[in-house]
Amino acid sequence: MAIFSRGFSGRPRESNPDLPPGQFLTEDFPVLSAGPTPRLDTADWKFEIKTETGQTLSWNWDELTALGLEDVHTDIHCVTRWSKLGTDWRGISLDKLFEDAETSFDFVMVHSYGGYTTNLPLEDLMNGQAWIATEFGGEPLEPDHGGPARLLVPHLYFWKSAKWVRGITMQRTDSPGFWEQNGYHIYGDPWREERYW
Amino acid sequence: MTHLDGNALAGPLSEVFRDDMTTALGRCASCGDVSVLAEALVYDAAPGWAVRCHACGDVLMTFVRTLDRLRIDMRGLTALEIPS
């Protein structure tokens, strides 16, 4: 019995310098999810950052997109071993969203509509490394790929780029999220092949 | 997202339990529904498998196969009743 995503195991190793170890190039954009796809209307959508001081920063869709979308050209790497090179996104930098955040905590828990969670160090969201992505390939982000908005943290395995993102809660310690509790690595650097505990 | 039905669990659970677990009754920790595991929804197109309650959709179990082990998390199941 093999628990792997269908179609991404057993292929020969590729030797492309842009591919992290153990990864294979795909031209498709596989859809992976641990649950049903939520159908979210941007009219009802909001995003929140909550800190240990009791502060809650909140944006509705218009407020978020008014902060300005950046173009992001990047490679993405899924822990199920596919990589997609040279993808084009547009999104709001997390640097902008954290400008007014009052926190001394070093870690975050990312929450999604539908209940998914994933943990990251705050420093991995800062300095032009992470976005709330609303467009892919010049089009609004499709629901199956996390639309209307997903986190985009392309330097880590893609399970960290939570689909259907709805908020971030600051945390004192690096408590594990959904897959991190269940066997996947607490950090997830594809270049160090940090797949599992 | 597409998903499989709970009969897909026969394989991985056979590594842990002696019987066919797809006919076992499981109680959902979230909504209290009691159903055979064959009725669960198995989302396999993910880093691991997420097995969800057919009634409320909450997660009953996850399966992650790493390089050297199979890890099963069952926090969403408060009871299992296995036919004898």
Side-chain angles (χ1 to χ4, degrees):
Chain A
M1 199 286 306
I3 295 182
F4 293 112
S5 290
R6 290 168 287 196
F8 300 105
S9 61
R11 299 183 186 174
R13 201 175 179 89
E14 299 192 15
S15 58
N16 182 329
D18 292 327
L19 287 177
Q23 294 294 108
F24 307 97
L25 187 63
T26 182
E27 300 296 330
D28 301 328
F29 193 171
V31 173
L32 276 73
S33 177
T37 298
R39 302 290 163 176
L40 304 169
D41 187 335
T42 54
D44 305 323
W45 186 93
K46 69 175 180 178
F47 180 81
E48 291 184 335
I49 295 175
K50 295 183 177 182
T51 76
E52 73 276 16
T53 67
Q55 179 192 36
T56 299
L57 300 168
S58 184
W59 296 265
N60 64 27
W61 186 261
D62 291 339
E63 290 166 341
L64 187 93
T65 54
L67 295 174
L69 300 176
E70 297 179 4
D71 294 321
V72 183
H73 184 75
T74 188
D75 304 336
I76 55 177
H77 310 291
C78 179
V79 73
T80 60
R81 299 185 181 273
W82 60 263
S83 289
K84 188 171 175 62
L85 305 182
T87 58
D88 288 299
W89 304 78
R90 295 189 81 211
I92 298 90
S93 168
L94 267 291
D95 293 309
K96 285 185 181 173
L97 299 179
F98 271 92
E99 272 179 5
D100 297 322
E102 300 159 359
T103 183
S104 61
F105 285 1
D106 293 329
F107 302 97
V108 309
M109 185 68 81
V110 180
H111 299 269
S112 294
Y113 292 95
Y116 181 76
T117 57
T118 189
N119 60 289
L120 299 104
L122 177 59
E123 65 178 12
D124 284 85
L125 299 183
M126 299 287 95
N127 301 311
Q129 296 186 92
W131 298 265
I132 303 297
T134 60
E135 296 181 20
F136 173 76
E139 301 288 338
L141 190 59
E142 293 180 4
D144 277 349
H145 288 302
R150 74 181 297 162
L151 186 65
L152 177 64
V153 194
H155 68 284
L156 299 177
Y157 280 126
F158 218 44
W159 89 77
K160 297 285 187 180
S161 293
K163 294 179 174 184
W164 313 298
V165 67
R166 70 171 172 83
I168 290 174
T169 303
M170 298 305 305
Q171 51 180 10
R172 184 189 302 277
T173 59
D174 202 10
S175 299
F178 183 80
W179 285 123
E180 294 87 354
Q181 288 177 45
N182 295 325
Y184 280 88
H185 197 276
I186 195 78
Y187 184 64
D189 180 348
W191 293 97
R192 290 187 292 187
E193 211 168 354
E194 293 174 341
R195 298 180 193 276
Y196 313 111
W197 296 345
Chain B
M1 279 302 301
T2 58
H3 59 79
L4 307 175
D5 69 44
N7 287 301
L9 299 171
L13 287 177
S14 71
E15 297 183 40
V16 184
F17 296 94
R18 62 192 164 88
D19 295 304
D20 173 10
M21 292 299 292
T22 59
T23 59
L25 289 167
R27 189 200 301 139
C28 173
S30 178
C31 73
D33 175 79
V34 178
S35 297
V36 293
L37 292 183
E39 291 193 34
L41 314 178
V42 180
Y43 287 84
D44 65 323
W49 282 12
V51 182
R52 292 179 177 270
C53 171
H54 78 108
C56 75
D58 268 16
V59 176
L60 299 172
M61 293 181 279
T62 63
F63 295 75
V64 171
R65 188 178 291 284
T66 69
L67 297 176
D68 59 1
R69 63 210 149 113
L70 171 64
R71 186 177 193 286
I72 304 175
D73 183 294
M74 304 179 75
R75 76 189 61 190
L77 275 176
T78 51
L80 271 176
E81 194 173 303
I82 303 165
S84 58

